[in-house]
Amino acid sequence: MAKKMTIVLFSGELDRALAAFNVATTAASMGMEVTIFFTFWGLNAIRKQTSGRKASGWMRKMFNWMNRGGTRNLPLSKFDMVGVGRSMMKKVMKDSNLPSLEEMMSLAKELGVRFIACTTTIGMMGLGPEDFVSYVDEYAGAATYLGQAQQGVVNLFI
Amino acid sequence: MEAEVRLDCSNQLCPMPIVRAKQEIMKMVAGQVLEIVATDPGFPSDVKAFCAATGNELLALEEAAGKFRAYVRKQAE
């Protein structure tokens, strides 16, 4: 039986998401069954660009306006410089023949990586399934993650 | 060494040589040999770990003129 690996993607920065997808695609290539549990800021990686506009209440609306979703809105954890560092990083990655985060996510799906989106954070932020990209396999909670993690030989929190 | 399939991963960094090797191997039949050319300094170690984890056989790993060449035989599922 294939070995299992899980990743909790808690962070919403481009570099951290890239690290998660680098390890996820490699593990899947090595024959592992990989699950990524997206929670909190990590949900931004799988949110649509325009998500969260219809959330109820002014606080949620304001929050979703500030905390923009979509891969293109993820900042760098260091030297983002209001997007300048991000653009430079993307240019350097392209020059190094590295896939973009969007390409990595698509690769991960091709390799059978499962995406689980955390319903607690989604509920708190006033979001719904319509706010997420079609890559999401399941909307679930911590118990579902732990069910996978218990069988995992590698479990990462990023 | 004879290989049925050839994959050039020159100037590509981790994880691409391994991910692309996996994609090629999925399309091959058991017993066929994949030749992978790569320049990533991590590749020799990575391809060994990849073969150990997947059960595919690493027939040879060579280095010449700054390029690594690995020959991997696909094992039966």
Side-chain angles (χ1 to χ4, degrees):
Chain A
M1 216 180 78
K3 287 181 176 165
K4 290 194 179 184
M5 164 167 152
T6 69
I7 297 172
V8 176
L9 184 62
F10 174 89
S11 310
E13 287 94 6
L14 177 67
D15 42 355
R16 293 189 167 113
L18 280 167
F21 278 96
N22 185 319
V23 180
T25 52
T26 305
S29 296
M30 289 170 81
M32 297 178 84
E33 275 176 29
V34 185
T35 301
I36 307 180
F37 185 72
F38 296 85
T39 187
F40 242 91
W41 314 116
L43 282 173
N44 287 353
I46 49 169
R47 267 174 65 185
K48 287 180 190 162
Q49 209 87 9
T50 53
S51 63
R53 305 245 168 102
K54 289 182 190 137
S56 63
W58 68 270
M59 270 197 271
R60 284 198 179 106
K61 277 198 179 71
M62 191 176 75
F63 180 75
N64 286 325
W65 182 73
M66 290 189 296
N67 178 44
R68 303 239 174 123
T71 47
R72 281 163 61 191
N73 287 322
L74 304 183
L76 285 179
S77 64
K78 283 184 81 157
F79 311 122
D80 187 61
M81 302 177 284
V82 210
V84 178
R86 200 183 316 169
S87 304
M88 288 164 83
M89 175 68 80
K90 284 178 183 171
K91 168 87 170 65
V92 170
M93 279 174 62
K94 204 172 177 192
D95 292 348
S96 309
N97 297 316
L98 279 166
S100 63
L101 179 60
E102 293 82 351
E103 289 165 330
M104 289 284 259
M105 288 173 88
S106 154
L107 263 177
K109 289 314 293 182
E110 274 173 43
L111 291 162
V113 174
R114 281 182 60 79
F115 288 22
I116 302 180
C118 167
T119 47
T120 302
T121 323
I122 293 172
M124 189 186 75
M125 292 178 178
L127 303 171
E130 67 280 1
D131 292 313
F132 291 86
V133 296
S134 60
Y135 289 152
V136 179
D137 295 284
E138 200 179 343
Y139 293 88
T144 304
Y145 165 70
L146 286 166
Q148 296 294 317
Q150 278 183 337
Q151 300 164 38
V153 289
V154 181
N155 299 310
L156 305 176
F157 188 97
I158 299 175
Chain B
M1 189 169 288
E2 290 293 310
E4 279 82 8
V5 185
R6 199 169 174 278
L7 179 64
D8 188 358
C9 298
S10 297
N11 303 315
Q12 288 199 310
L13 298 168
C14 163
M16 294 321 288
I18 295 301
V19 170
R20 291 186 62 202
K22 163 73 176 177
Q23 288 174 328
E24 285 304 324
I25 287 172
M26 280 199 292
K27 290 185 260 174
M28 291 161 58
V29 295
Q32 284 188 319
V33 176
L34 171 69
E35 177 187 354
I36 313 162
V37 178
T39 51
D40 178 2
F43 179 72
S45 177
D46 284 356
V47 75
K48 281 181 205 161
F50 170 75
C51 287
T54 54
N56 296 301
E57 188 185 356
L58 183 60
L59 302 171
L61 180 60
E62 302 161 359
E63 186 186 356
K67 290 202 179 204
F68 301 105
R69 224 169 270 275
Y71 296 88
V72 178
R73 190 197 303 280
K74 177 168 180 167
Q75 297 299 295
E77 298 284 320

